[in-house]
Amino acid sequence: MKPSEYLAGSIGFSISEVGAGFMLLLSAIKRAPRAIKQKHLVVEQMQRIGLGSLPLVLVTSVFTGGVAAVQAAYQFENYVPLRYLGMVISKSIVIELGPVLTALVVGGRVGASIAAELGTMKVTEQIEALETLAIDPVRYLVSPRLIAAVMMLPVITVFSDFIAIMGGFAVAYTGLDINTHVYFNSIKVHLTSEDVLSGLIKAFFFGGIIAIMGCYHGMKTRGGAEGVGIATTKAVVSSCLLILITDYILASLLFSAVFAG
Amino acid sequence: MIRIVDLKKNFDDLEVLKGVNLTINRGETVVVIGRSGCGKSVLLRHIIGLMMPDSGKVFVDGLDVTELKEKQLYELRKRFGMLFQGAALFDSLSVLDNVGLGLREHTNLSDEEIRKIACDKLEMVGLGRLDDKKPAELSGGMKKRVGLARAIAMDPPVVLYDEPTTGLDPIMADVINGLIRDLQKRLGITSIAVTHDIKSAYKIGDRLALLYDGKIVFEGTPEETRSTPNELVRQFIEGNAQGPIPIYEE
């Protein structure tokens, strides 16, 4: 096969995968009202996605905030007064680093877990068993995960933002000799509600991507253990890629159209 | 009554079903026998609408399964129970929740009522006091029995069995065969089983059908099957390597 044919085939396949994932998303949204009524399914997923991810996200966030402070201070040197450090750290975290890094961490953990669970269910005929019990697998398996993920990602992101800003403060206070008032006043003056809202909107979409990619690749698993492994890898890779692409699209839309002016 | 008419199914270039015709009367147990990989499970999945044929029809009480919309198909499936080859129990649920899941989803029964029905069904298959165990803690035979309890939990008029005795030791296989026969007598359900276990087929079937080369090539009672001169049937029931059925797929 020529490289051009291989490339064209790969692009075509990727587009069809995104299309199939989008159809699953629509299907899950359509069934969401009934899935919401089965609170126990949604709550169980919220615990797994939200509470389960929190420790890892918080550790990541502390160091992200710390690194942001060190990097910002390095780049400010001789150009920008350090009293703006709080503003730069908080804005970069709330708008970009918080939602994206949280989504990538949760995507790795939860996306893989969803794909592995559903993939195993698929290869052991459990999804067919659901269908024979007249239970719609999309309503029973996908919708609760989608609802839980879109609800929990913004919540985890809020925690992540707060911890990262505090991580930045710890570095600023101990290593850069910036006092508490200067750091937090800079945040108070410059951080806007649009900044926070944009991050939460992104987190909402990222939650949907993680859940749908995990479910989609899980439910189309073929073969045995190898198939589950492949599905897991695909779920993580595709959600990470889609998170980054969606981040760009949302950033463009939000800051050039919605929040502009 | 279930009627399968000229059912054909291909997977890419592989013709699996080449025009299957079979009728299963109400209250009857029909066992479809045939070599591994001959399309028995594929046939079973068409009856319950888990697969759709390339051509042909499947009628369940006059309803054409191949023409039903998704919602109608789910309604139809409430009339069926199915025992899977590997039991297909839900790992994340306890034994009791596995058996009661259908009731929880489709009825307004209270948790207590569902628990009672699930316990009764587990008792019917000889499994008491397993309620809180998870499927991973059960043996193969226990899993099959829980699968059976789940299949009959909603009191369906039709139960499908996919290789009910595969992977079980001969004694447990006989226990499962006895259970299937017993449930059928007690509940009067219509049963369709697919298996390559001829001993099991004799024990549970009112009628046996041999699926070979994508078609039903023989139908008869267990007695007729034992005494038929049909060479395909004779080779299969006697387990001979020599005969008209090739050892390797072409």
Side-chain angles (χ1 to χ4, degrees):
Chain A
M1 188 185 283
K2 290 177 187 170
S4 58
E5 286 174 356
Y6 176 77
L7 189 66
S10 299
I11 291 170
F13 182 70
S14 302
I15 291 170
S16 74
E17 292 257 297
V18 171
F22 188 68
M23 294 309 290
L24 180 65
L25 172 67
L26 292 182
S27 190
I29 291 170
K30 192 177 155 192
R31 287 155 176 82
R34 203 175 154 207
I36 289 172
K37 287 180 190 161
Q38 294 181 301
K39 288 189 192 79
H40 67 284
L41 293 177
V42 179
V43 170
E44 187 188 327
Q45 291 305 321
M46 285 171 81
Q47 284 173 345
R48 289 171 72 173
I49 295 170
L51 290 180
S53 304
L54 215 46
L56 186 59
V57 169
L58 295 186
V59 171
T60 312
S61 303
V62 171
F63 289 100
T64 304
V67 170
V70 171
Q71 288 291 325
Y74 171 69
Q75 290 178 51
F76 279 11
E77 215 171 358
N78 301 328
Y79 295 107
V80 182
L82 278 178
R83 65 172 182 275
Y84 293 115
L85 195 71
M87 174 199 77
V88 169
I89 290 173
S90 63
K91 274 189 182 279
S92 61
I93 283 169
V94 166
I95 295 170
E96 191 62 34
L97 291 174
V100 173
L101 284 178
T102 301
L104 292 175
V105 169
V106 175
R109 185 187 166 275
V110 174
S113 154
I114 292 175
E117 185 181 1
L118 268 56
T120 306
M121 286 184 78
K122 178 78 190 301
V123 300
T124 54
E125 297 179 318
Q126 291 177 52
I127 290 181
E128 281 193 336
L130 274 178
E131 291 189 79
T132 61
L133 289 171
I135 298 170
D136 180 351
V138 176
R139 197 255 306 154
Y140 189 79
L141 298 171
V142 182
S143 296
R145 284 166 172 79
L146 177 68
I147 295 165
V150 297
M151 285 172 77
M152 290 314 290
L153 250 286
V155 174
I156 307 172
T157 302
V158 169
F159 280 101
S160 165
D161 289 348
F162 176 73
I163 295 294
I165 289 170
M166 294 311 289
F169 170 67
V171 171
Y173 186 78
T174 56
L176 302 169
D177 207 21
I178 296 170
N179 71 40
T180 312
H181 175 74
V182 169
Y183 184 82
F184 287 106
N185 194 51
S186 167
I187 296 173
K188 193 177 153 189
V189 170
H190 297 285
L191 188 68
T192 64
S193 54
E194 282 89 351
D195 297 334
V196 179
L197 190 60
S198 70
L200 297 184
I201 291 170
K202 284 180 181 180
F204 176 86
F205 282 93
F206 296 160
I209 289 169
I210 292 165
I212 287 299
M213 285 297 106
C215 291
Y216 172 69
H217 288 290
M219 290 183 78
K220 66 187 276 290
T221 303
R222 281 179 163 198
E226 188 189 9
V228 175
I230 292 169
T232 308
T233 310
K234 279 185 174 176
V236 175
V237 171
S238 58
S239 33
C240 289
L241 278 175
L242 280 175
I243 284 166
L244 296 173
I245 294 167
T246 309
D247 182 44
Y248 170 73
I249 295 168
L250 286 175
S252 305
L253 281 174
L254 290 171
F255 291 99
S256 66
V258 183
F259 297 146
Chain B
M1 189 175 79
I2 296 167
R3 198 156 57 90
I4 300 160
V5 183
D6 199 25
L7 198 72
K8 292 179 183 169
K9 180 71 177 177
N10 295 356
F11 292 104
D12 297 324
D13 295 334
L14 183 68
E15 283 182 279
V16 179
L17 303 179
K18 299 178 182 174
V20 172
N21 290 290
L22 186 65
T23 300
I24 300 104
N25 299 310
R26 195 181 294 269
E28 182 185 35
T29 297
V30 170
V31 181
V32 179
I33 54 174
R35 289 192 66 193
S36 295
C38 73
K40 303 186 296 293
S41 297
V42 171
L43 176 62
L44 210 59
R45 279 162 169 72
H46 278 87
I47 296 172
I48 199 167
L50 288 174
M51 282 182 181
M52 286 297 156
D54 294 332
S55 69
K57 301 282 179 192
V58 177
F59 296 98
V60 176
D61 292 335
L63 279 175
D64 183 357
V65 176
T66 61
E67 296 290 332
L68 295 180
K69 291 184 178 145
E70 196 181 20
K71 207 172 175 182
Q72 295 169 311
L73 203 51
Y74 278 116
E75 276 306 309
L76 178 87
R77 285 177 186 152
K78 290 179 188 170
R79 298 191 216 168
F80 285 86
M82 184 161 174
L83 174 63
F84 284 83
Q85 188 172 346
L89 301 180
F90 306 117
D91 301 327
S92 56
L93 302 182
S94 69
V95 164
L96 207 63
D97 288 339
N98 261 281
V99 179
L101 184 63
L103 293 164
R104 197 175 298 281
E105 289 287 320
H106 302 304
T107 68
N108 293 320
L109 296 173
S110 68
D111 286 352
E112 199 46 51
E113 287 167 316
I114 291 170
R115 188 182 171 84
K116 188 180 175 311
I117 295 170
C119 286
D120 288 348
K121 301 298 179 190
L122 284 168
E123 285 289 337
M124 282 174 91
V125 298
L127 291 174
R129 301 178 185 187
L130 276 181
D131 328 6
D132 297 326
K133 279 203 162 37
K134 287 284 177 78
E137 300 170 66
L138 307 180
S139 68
M142 283 174 165
K143 283 181 185 168
K144 285 259 165 141
R145 285 192 279 168
V146 175
L148 195 51
R150 186 178 68 184
I152 59 168
M154 302 261 290
D155 293 326
V158 186
V159 178
L160 310 178
Y161 302 93
D162 188 0
E163 305 279 6
T165 55
T166 298
L168 301 179
D169 66 75
I171 296 169
M172 187 48 71
D174 197 50
V175 170
I176 297 289
N177 288 335
L179 274 172
I180 293 172
R181 199 70 202 167
D182 185 44
L183 289 171
Q184 185 192 326
K185 279 183 187 163
R186 283 161 69 181
L187 306 175
I189 48 182
T190 306
S191 306
I192 307 162
V194 301
T195 184
H196 55 249
D197 178 354
I198 192 68
K199 201 175 163 187
S200 168
Y202 283 146
K203 181 144 188 179
I204 64 176
D206 296 321
R207 202 150 51 89
L208 273 60
L210 177 66
L211 181 65
Y212 172 68
D213 195 26
K215 290 180 178 174
I216 299 291
V217 293
F218 170 85
E219 282 181 63
T221 63
E223 289 70 33
E224 288 167 346
T225 308
R226 280 191 184 96
S227 58
T228 181
N230 183 317
E231 286 185 12
L232 292 166
V233 179
R234 294 238 61 81
Q235 185 189 353
F236 187 80
I237 62 175
E238 289 165 9
N240 289 329
Q242 306 299 323
I245 302 175
I247 301 168
Y248 301 107
E249 307 287 333
E250 283 174 20

